[in-house]
Amino acid sequence: MSENRSVRAELQEQRDAIADSLASLEERRAKAVQTNSFARARERSGVTDGVGVDAAQLAADEAAAHAAMRDARAELHRLDMQIESQPRDGLAKKFGSAFSRRRRGSG
């Protein structure tokens, strides 16, 4: 395997690992948003018993979940740019851009 393929393969593995983690990050974010929203609704309605968790902590958890999703998407974008900037060999050079556009959903 050429050095270019090795670098591309490494970047693609990193990208795939992050892409695989998006579902769990999205689930974590959705749960944090729901939990925080529910606690705020209970607070607005005057219910104080049974909350058991600090509102500031819930808000921080929600913000952290949003930040994790944002960071993962930014890293995917960065890796995509690095992968695209790597030189290609043979048929990969000819057909690679069409495949990468399709993978990203823009083709």
Side-chain angles (χ1 to χ4, degrees):
M1 184 184 288
S2 74
E3 185 176 331
N4 289 341
R5 284 189 193 180
S6 176
V7 170
R8 285 181 70 84
E10 172 78 22
L11 292 171
Q12 189 61 48
E13 285 178 21
Q14 291 174 18
R15 187 199 187 285
D16 291 345
I18 293 169
D20 290 345
S21 73
L22 283 179
S24 64
L25 289 172
E26 177 59 35
E27 186 177 315
R28 180 178 134 207
R29 181 176 69 168
K31 184 176 180 180
V33 168
Q34 181 181 22
T35 302
N36 192 28
S37 177
F38 181 69
R40 286 189 320 226
R42 288 177 58 89
E43 183 180 319
R44 281 191 306 269
S45 68
V47 177
T48 58
D49 63 323
V51 174
V53 179
D54 183 30
Q57 182 61 50
L58 290 175
D61 292 347
E62 182 178 342
H66 283 295
M69 282 295 295
R70 182 191 64 239
D71 293 347
R73 288 182 179 140
E75 183 65 6
L76 283 176
H77 178 70
R78 185 189 68 77
L79 288 167
D80 283 341
M81 300 308 292
Q82 278 190 296
I83 290 168
E84 289 300 314
S85 71
Q86 292 297 312
R88 297 173 187 259
D89 298 324
L91 288 177
K93 187 173 191 175
K94 185 174 182 179
F95 296 111
S97 62
F99 292 135
S100 66
R101 280 195 307 272
R102 183 168 184 153
R103 180 185 73 235
R104 290 191 308 260
S106 61

